[in-house]
Amino acid sequence: MEQSYRFFSNKACIHFPCHAAPEEAEFNCLFCYCPLYHLGDECGGIFKWVKHEDTKLKLCMDCHLPHTPEYYDVIMQRLEPKN
């Protein structure tokens, strides 16, 4: 794959795939922990807030943004510091 630094699939992982994906063969593990999680509502992915005891949890099980190769540039742009 050209620019292979954009994609990594760890099929040997006991959690692979960690959640349903449109195409398992294209499941990108590069961003195993979503680097956009800390952006809260501004992450750009599909998520829902769930109340748990005295806090809100962000559930991202339906989000495939960090697991598809074509979103690499989107993720990198969102991580750039804003001046």
Side-chain angles (χ1 to χ4, degrees), residues 19-78:
H19 52 90
E23 286 289 328
E24 190 174 294
E26 294 287 317
F27 195 87
N28 192 0
C29 301
L30 182 65
F31 299 114
C32 180
Y33 174 82
C34 182
L36 303 177
Y37 185 88
H38 72 283
L39 297 177
D41 291 333
E42 303 299 316
C43 71
I46 299 168
F47 66 91
K48 59 185 169 187
W49 291 107
V50 176
K51 186 170 174 66
H52 177 70
E53 296 178 3
D54 294 332
T55 190
K56 291 191 315 184
L57 295 175
K58 184 177 176 185
L59 298 182
C60 308
M61 295 304 290
D62 295 326
C63 185
H64 306 295
L65 194 131
H67 298 298
T68 50
E70 60 269 14
Y71 281 107
Y72 179 88
D73 290 325
V74 172
I75 290 171
M76 296 311 287
Q77 287 172 351
R78 289 186 178 268

